[in-house]
Amino acid sequence: MTMRATALAHPNIAFIKYWGIHDIDLRLPANDSLSMTIGPLATRTRVEFDQGLFQDALILNGDPISGPALTRMQGFIDRLRQQAGKAIYARVTSDNNFPISAGLASSASAYAALALAGTSALGLKLSEPELSSLARFGSGSASRSIPGGFVSWQTDPQTQSSFAKSFASPDHWRLCDCIAIISTSHKAVSSQEGMKKASSSPLQAARIADTPRRLRICKQAILNRDFATLAQVVEQDSNLMHAVMMTSDPPLFYWHPQSIALMQAISAWQAEGLPVTYTLDAGPNVHVICPQVSADKIIHRLRQFPGVLDVIQAFPAGPARLTQDDSQV
Ligand code: DP6
């Protein structure tokens, strides 16, 4: 007997970042965060629970995977099996339509798609908050790739419930994330590993204490479509997270010289009156955010910028969803 389902999910870019774990077993983040789900970048994942299998298998972009990536996925599928009360192995086939080697976050869309396809194949019917809550055990940021549009991930310290929900639809604001690829090599320290050291930085406590203020400003700027306010808080939040990374023990430097040159250029473009801002995750690539009407101009400049290898355009996108289509994403 085979039980199968296929799901598609988009990555997300955080405007207010999650960095640090408050409770490792419950996977509770040190701070609430806010993001935009982005497409057409997507992961499509098919999960088949098959009684004929003797172990779990993962095929990623056509290649069979072993080692830590398989072990991490097995840990997540164990949780699904436990929830469904079923002991049956799974074959997981996952494809991305964006280069995962380009250092773009793929764990968010990967675990969002896996949570939806896996639970659905097992016959578990979860609500969107339940799915988001579950996805965070695969990857924290995956909780934010279950809903679409503009999303906030909050934890209630009393009940310890922790899930993301949408507060504005994808068509609320036509923003563009022009992702400037600075390096395509894999990062030396993963987010999961790096953020375990966050509390060793004396700046982390101040970053966490100030997060409610930044979240409030960011959410209101999105609701008001106020780009100038959004730009200021998004840059400050990214710089705060990188300041924590650089002052952790051992220190983590994700920026490359070209990343810094581009951030400085963006400040000069702002001084010219261009509506544009930047944010960087745990890597050197620069997410250059602007209104869609300015995107062509910004992309033209990015393509000419020394050290920018490629530019990938992304826009606000919808929630994770089941799909009948088993073709390549
Ligand atoms: C810097 O939850 O994506 O992107 O599970 O290692 O993939 P992994 O970590 P993840 O960490 C996200 C860290 C961040 C900031 C953010 O997206 O909020």
Side-chain angles (χ1 to χ4, degrees), residues 96-113:
N96 293 286
N97 68 357
F98 57 99
I100 52 170
S101 60
L104 297 180
S106 60
S107 63
S109 51
Y111 277 96

mmCIF file of all heavy atoms in Angstrom, residues 96-113:
data_model
loop_
_atom_site.group_PDB
_atom_site.id
_atom_site.type_symbol
_atom_site.label_atom_id
_atom_site.label_comp_id
_atom_site.label_asym_id
_atom_site.label_seq_id
_atom_site.Cartn_x
_atom_site.Cartn_y
_atom_site.Cartn_z
ATOM 1 N N ASN A 96 13.575 21.976 -6.615
ATOM 2 C CA ASN A 96 13.517 23.432 -6.472
ATOM 3 C C ASN A 96 13.660 24.068 -7.843
ATOM 4 O O ASN A 96 14.417 23.572 -8.672
ATOM 5 C CB ASN A 96 14.695 23.925 -5.615
ATOM 6 C CG ASN A 96 14.578 23.453 -4.186
ATOM 7 O OD1 ASN A 96 13.774 23.957 -3.424
ATOM 8 N ND2 ASN A 96 15.365 22.459 -3.827
ATOM 9 N N ASN A 97 12.954 25.169 -8.071
ATOM 10 C CA ASN A 97 13.131 25.871 -9.351
ATOM 11 C C ASN A 97 14.116 27.021 -9.204
ATOM 12 O O ASN A 97 14.168 27.908 -10.024
ATOM 13 C CB ASN A 97 11.788 26.360 -9.919
ATOM 14 C CG ASN A 97 11.181 27.460 -9.078
ATOM 15 O OD1 ASN A 97 11.715 27.826 -8.040
ATOM 16 N ND2 ASN A 97 10.060 27.983 -9.520
ATOM 17 N N PHE A 98 14.878 27.016 -8.091
ATOM 18 C CA PHE A 98 15.923 28.033 -7.919
ATOM 19 C C PHE A 98 17.178 27.316 -7.454
ATOM 20 O O PHE A 98 17.106 26.229 -6.874
ATOM 21 C CB PHE A 98 15.481 29.101 -6.909
ATOM 22 C CG PHE A 98 15.110 28.581 -5.542
ATOM 23 C CD1 PHE A 98 16.021 28.632 -4.491
ATOM 24 C CD2 PHE A 98 13.853 28.043 -5.295
ATOM 25 C CE1 PHE A 98 15.681 28.169 -3.229
ATOM 26 C CE2 PHE A 98 13.504 27.582 -4.039
ATOM 27 C CZ PHE A 98 14.421 27.641 -2.997
ATOM 28 N N PRO A 99 18.347 27.908 -7.731
ATOM 29 C CA PRO A 99 19.591 27.189 -7.433
ATOM 30 C C PRO A 99 19.848 27.106 -5.934
ATOM 31 O O PRO A 99 20.104 28.140 -5.295
ATOM 32 C CB PRO A 99 20.666 28.028 -8.125
ATOM 33 C CG PRO A 99 20.052 29.365 -8.364
ATOM 34 C CD PRO A 99 18.574 29.230 -8.328
ATOM 35 N N ILE A 100 19.741 25.914 -5.332
ATOM 36 C CA ILE A 100 19.975 25.817 -3.892
ATOM 37 C C ILE A 100 21.458 26.010 -3.587
ATOM 38 O O ILE A 100 21.822 26.448 -2.514
ATOM 39 C CB ILE A 100 19.445 24.503 -3.253
ATOM 40 C CG1 ILE A 100 19.946 23.257 -3.977
ATOM 41 C CG2 ILE A 100 17.949 24.487 -3.190
ATOM 42 C CD1 ILE A 100 19.621 21.982 -3.223
ATOM 43 N N SER A 101 22.302 25.735 -4.596
ATOM 44 C CA SER A 101 23.740 25.934 -4.380
ATOM 45 C C SER A 101 24.086 27.421 -4.356
ATOM 46 O O SER A 101 25.173 27.809 -3.987
ATOM 47 C CB SER A 101 24.538 25.245 -5.476
ATOM 48 O OG SER A 101 24.164 25.795 -6.711
ATOM 49 N N ALA A 102 23.129 28.280 -4.751
ATOM 50 C CA ALA A 102 23.410 29.719 -4.794
ATOM 51 C C ALA A 102 23.307 30.360 -3.419
ATOM 52 O O ALA A 102 23.347 31.577 -3.299
ATOM 53 C CB ALA A 102 22.473 30.413 -5.760
ATOM 54 N N GLY A 103 23.162 29.537 -2.391
ATOM 55 C CA GLY A 103 23.134 30.088 -1.046
ATOM 56 C C GLY A 103 21.812 30.739 -0.703
ATOM 57 O O GLY A 103 21.715 31.506 0.243
ATOM 58 N N LEU A 104 20.771 30.442 -1.473
ATOM 59 C CA LEU A 104 19.451 30.972 -1.129
ATOM 60 C C LEU A 104 18.784 29.994 -0.180
ATOM 61 O O LEU A 104 18.917 28.789 -0.339
ATOM 62 C CB LEU A 104 18.586 31.125 -2.374
ATOM 63 C CG LEU A 104 19.108 32.107 -3.412
ATOM 64 C CD1 LEU A 104 18.161 32.173 -4.593
ATOM 65 C CD2 LEU A 104 19.257 33.484 -2.790
ATOM 66 N N ALA A 105 18.058 30.522 0.794
ATOM 67 C CA ALA A 105 17.424 29.667 1.800
ATOM 68 C C ALA A 105 16.473 28.696 1.121
ATOM 69 O O ALA A 105 15.550 29.104 0.432
ATOM 70 C CB ALA A 105 16.665 30.526 2.784
ATOM 71 N N SER A 106 16.741 27.426 1.245
ATOM 72 C CA SER A 106 15.824 26.434 0.682
ATOM 73 C C SER A 106 15.155 25.638 1.782
ATOM 74 O O SER A 106 14.163 24.962 1.546
ATOM 75 C CB SER A 106 16.567 25.494 -0.257
ATOM 76 O OG SER A 106 17.577 24.823 0.454
ATOM 77 N N SER A 107 15.677 25.729 3.032
ATOM 78 C CA SER A 107 15.095 24.904 4.093
ATOM 79 C C SER A 107 13.680 25.367 4.430
ATOM 80 O O SER A 107 12.842 24.558 4.809
ATOM 81 C CB SER A 107 15.983 24.913 5.344
ATOM 82 O OG SER A 107 16.078 26.212 5.873
ATOM 83 N N ALA A 108 13.374 26.660 4.251
ATOM 84 C CA ALA A 108 12.036 27.162 4.584
ATOM 85 C C ALA A 108 10.995 26.542 3.656
ATOM 86 O O ALA A 108 10.025 25.928 4.107
ATOM 87 C CB ALA A 108 12.001 28.675 4.492
ATOM 88 N N SER A 109 11.216 26.673 2.329
ATOM 89 C CA SER A 109 10.242 26.110 1.392
ATOM 90 C C SER A 109 10.271 24.585 1.446
ATOM 91 O O SER A 109 9.229 23.929 1.312
ATOM 92 C CB SER A 109 10.514 26.606 -0.031
ATOM 93 O OG SER A 109 11.873 26.413 -0.382
ATOM 94 N N ALA A 110 11.454 24.002 1.683
ATOM 95 C CA ALA A 110 11.571 22.537 1.716
ATOM 96 C C ALA A 110 10.739 21.945 2.865
ATOM 97 O O ALA A 110 9.952 21.018 2.654
ATOM 98 C CB ALA A 110 13.033 22.138 1.878
ATOM 99 N N TYR A 111 10.913 22.481 4.067
ATOM 100 C CA TYR A 111 10.184 21.895 5.205
ATOM 101 C C TYR A 111 8.710 22.297 5.230
ATOM 102 O O TYR A 111 7.882 21.564 5.769
ATOM 103 C CB TYR A 111 10.911 22.186 6.521
ATOM 104 C CG TYR A 111 12.011 21.165 6.725
ATOM 105 C CD1 TYR A 111 13.316 21.435 6.353
ATOM 106 C CD2 TYR A 111 11.714 19.887 7.204
ATOM 107 C CE1 TYR A 111 14.318 20.482 6.480
ATOM 108 C CE2 TYR A 111 12.709 18.928 7.335
ATOM 109 C CZ TYR A 111 14.005 19.230 6.972
ATOM 110 O OH TYR A 111 14.980 18.263 7.086
ATOM 111 N N ALA A 112 8.364 23.446 4.619
ATOM 112 C CA ALA A 112 6.939 23.791 4.518
ATOM 113 C C ALA A 112 6.249 22.793 3.574
ATOM 114 O O ALA A 112 5.181 22.252 3.885
ATOM 115 C CB ALA A 112 6.776 25.218 4.022
ATOM 116 N N ALA A 113 6.878 22.518 2.416
ATOM 117 C CA ALA A 113 6.290 21.574 1.452
ATOM 118 C C ALA A 113 6.246 20.167 2.049
ATOM 119 O O ALA A 113 5.255 19.433 1.887
ATOM 120 C CB ALA A 113 7.091 21.585 0.152
#
